[in-house]
Amino acid sequence: MKYIAVIIMLFFYASSSLAAISAINGTISDSESIIILGSSFGENNLDYSEISTVIEETTAGQTPINTGGWIFDEGFNANPVASTIYAHSGGKSLYCNSDAGSTSALRFDYGSYITLNQTVFVSWWTRASWSVGGQWKQFRINYQNDIQDDTPQMAMFNWTTSTKQWINRPGPTTSSDGTDNYMSQVMTSDRDEWYRVDLILTISSANGTYDGSYTMYRYDPNDQFYSAINSDVMTHNDDPKYWRWFLWQNYQGNSMDGLQVYIDDPFIQVGSQARVELCDASTWAARTSCDIQPATEWSTTSITATVNTGAFSTDDTAYLYVVDADGNVNSTGYEVTIGETGGGEDTTAPTVDSFTIPATSSSLTVPVLAFTCSDDTAVTGYCISLTDDSSGCSWYGSAPSTVTFDSAGSQTAYAFCRDAALNVSDSVSDSVAITLSSSPAKIVGELSGSFQ
């Protein structure tokens, strides 16, 4: 858990739907602040909790002191302890020796019921081993501090010999309609290897309503990224009970023996899945390992975050991504080198590579046949103007498909692009001859005579 203080500056304009990172100022190393320029980040209320520093500051072999809603000392069985044997990031992780007492639980109390119609995001790294397979009850969210089957609740049961891994129990009883909604395999078959689990949970808008969802991600570093989703789910139907407790149960049962579990970088956020990630691939789709960068300030134009370098080492290449509340993310990562200094403010403007409209038109609204741009970081805005001046531009997140002129005759349109640092390209123009079809002639007559 080695961290870097980061300030992410994002110049926002309303039309864009994806974040874009354009430049970095500062050194990517422990305890250094950096500024990342970009755009379109959105909002995050930062209602999260994580314990990376707590784990690092606890003496190896000791149980951390209960703090901030996190409970390590459950008073029986085998309490989790800090360990230097394995660590995903930093030098320590939490060791849960389930074999010593059948359960070695890590617990977090949110402090109040989590209301309906919002998102809950949970993430952690783990590795485990066992001598005999069976049932590893890894994690559950419950309305009370109880690791027993209950409602409303979701649980990851992790049978090593079954695909019934994930159970949803909205209530009012464990046999009620809408319960036992199983998802496919959520843990890896690999033993003694780190992998990351993410849960993105959309809570139903009302009790008894089937509009919630469960999304699960699993990161297997240098191997694969796995995802599964169960939509149109009823998450709650047991008013007035709602989710509150997050429980890494780590129970071994049903013939399982010798279960040893390590947990690192647990992270819980209520109200949003928005976050900053440091990943191993240049595109979001190709990632197999990422680490969350906990934020301390967040607005539509800037984020201050403490960067977790995770398993990266000095001189490693990594890529920054910004995920918004809806799960939108920059598809191409911003490349950084751990331990090196960024190149400063982005001053390079994009280039309009092509802009074409038809040579003739019979309408004032003319289709755009081609409009493409390129930039050294990312193109974030497109504009077509009727004058060779970008100051009056209306900027769009993608290239417009039409342009509308004010009158017929020979007309010229000018295309511009800009990047996240608001650098604007030179214009590229194209012309069209507009001929409007004539309107039918009006026939006007006179009537003479008299009416009787």
Side-chain angles (χ1 to χ4, degrees):
M1 274 70 65
K2 298 205 167 48
Y3 293 109
I4 310 163
V6 178
I7 299 176
I8 302 177
M9 303 298 299
L10 299 152
F11 296 94
F12 175 84
Y13 64 93
S15 298
S16 177
S17 59
L18 299 180
I21 300 172
S22 61
I24 294 178
N25 293 324
T27 303
I28 312 294
S29 62
D30 291 341
S31 303
E32 294 291 331
S33 294
I34 63 173
I35 298 175
I36 303 175
L37 303 176
S39 65
S40 302
F41 194 80
E43 298 179 353
N44 186 351
N45 61 4
L46 298 180
D47 187 5
Y48 73 85
S49 186
E50 55 90 23
I51 52 170
S52 55
T53 301
V54 173
I55 296 173
E56 288 298 303
E57 293 180 350
T58 300
T59 301
Q62 300 297 310
T63 297
I65 297 173
N66 298 340
T67 181
W70 292 89
I71 299 174
F72 307 90
D73 182 2
E74 62 179 77
F76 65 96
N77 290 339
N79 297 324
V81 298
S83 174
T84 57
I85 296 175
Y86 296 113
H88 166 71
S89 61
K92 297 173 186 173
S93 65
L94 278 181
Y95 170 51
C96 303
N97 184 7
S98 301
D99 193 46
S102 76
T103 295
S104 182
L106 168 65
R107 307 167 188 249
F108 174 72
D109 178 12
Y110 180 67
S112 61
Y113 283 153
I114 299 172
T115 58
L116 298 173
N117 198 31
Q118 61 177 320
T119 298
V120 174
F121 176 81
V122 188
S123 177
W124 69 96
W125 284 90
T126 191
R127 64 185 295 157
S129 63
W130 53 88
S131 56
V132 179
Q135 186 188 44
W136 168 23
K137 292 184 178 179
Q138 184 178 11
F139 177 78
R140 69 176 76 213
I141 303 177
N142 202 358
Y143 84 97
Q144 63 179 347
N145 183 16
D146 188 351
I147 58 176
Q148 303 301 315
D149 295 344
D150 215 330
T151 65
Q153 180 185 96
M154 62 76 54
M156 294 170 61
F157 278 2
N158 289 25
W159 287 86
T160 62
T161 56
S162 171
T163 59
K164 293 183 177 180
Q165 307 285 332
W166 183 323
I167 298 180
N168 168 52
R169 290 192 169 115
T173 69
T174 57
S175 60
S176 302
D177 179 50
T179 68
D180 293 352
N181 293 319
Y182 294 107
M183 285 183 66
S184 57
Q185 177 83 7
V186 296
M187 71 174 187
T188 178
S189 58
D190 295 330
R191 302 183 192 180
D192 275 339
E193 293 185 11
W194 285 106
Y195 67 96
R196 172 176 155 180
V197 177
D198 284 3
L199 305 178
I200 305 170
L201 313 173
T202 303
I203 303 175
S204 299
S205 61
N207 282 291
T209 302
Y210 288 84
D211 59 359
S213 67
Y214 294 102
T215 300
M216 189 279 297
Y217 294 157
R218 187 182 78 230
Y219 293 83
D220 293 337
N222 302 315
D223 184 10
Q224 67 173 332
F225 169 79
Y226 174 90
S227 65
I229 184 169
N230 196 359
S231 57
D232 299 323
V233 171
M234 182 209 313
T235 64
H236 289 69
N237 194 29
D238 201 3
D239 183 63
K241 297 186 295 184
Y242 301 91
W243 292 347
R244 172 172 172 169
W245 285 84
F246 298 78
L247 309 161
W248 284 265
Q249 182 175 351
N250 295 317
Y251 163 83
Q252 68 169 13
N254 298 87
S255 300
M256 176 169 271
D257 194 28
L259 178 62
Q260 311 283 316
V261 179
Y262 293 84
I263 297 173
D264 212 347
D265 295 345
F267 181 94
I268 298 168
Q269 182 166 267
V270 176
S272 178
Q273 61 171 301
R275 62 198 184 276
V276 179
E277 299 268 12
L278 188 67
C279 301
D280 63 343
S282 60
T283 64
W284 183 247
R287 74 198 189 281
T288 66
S289 180
C290 295
D291 290 284
I292 295 172
Q293 318 303 299
T296 56
E297 296 181 15
W298 193 296
S299 74
T300 58
T301 58
S302 67
I303 301 168
T304 302
T306 303
V307 171
N308 178 5
T309 59
F312 291 107
S313 301
T314 300
D315 295 330
D316 283 350
T317 298
Y319 302 86
L320 278 170
Y321 294 89
V322 179
V323 184
D324 71 13
D326 296 321
N328 300 313
V329 59
N330 47 305
S331 57
T332 301
Y334 187 90
E335 183 176 326
V336 297
T337 300
I338 306 301
E340 292 193 359
T341 300
E345 184 177 358
D346 180 12
T347 59
T348 303
T351 300
V352 178
D353 298 318
S354 66
F355 176 62
T356 307
I357 57 178
T360 61
S361 175
S362 60
S363 170
L364 294 178
T365 299
V366 177
V368 176
L369 303 179
F371 185 4
T372 61
C373 300
S374 59
D375 186 55
D376 60 339
T377 56
V379 176
T380 61
Y382 297 80
C383 167
I384 300 176
S385 175
L386 302 186
T387 63
D388 193 9
D389 183 0
S390 64
S391 62
C393 269
S394 296
W395 293 99
Y396 298 91
S398 59
S401 60
T402 61
V403 56
T404 300
F405 294 92
D406 297 328
S407 60
S410 179
Q411 302 291 345
T412 301
Y414 301 85
F416 299 90
C417 290
R418 74 176 181 183
D419 60 20
L422 305 185
N423 299 307
V424 178
S425 69
D426 292 333
S427 67
V428 171
S429 64
D430 198 10
S431 298
V432 58
I434 300 175
T435 303
L436 301 179
S437 59
S438 301
S439 301
K442 293 182 180 180
I443 300 176
V444 180
E446 295 183 358
L447 295 176
S448 61
S450 61
F451 292 94
Q452 299 191 5

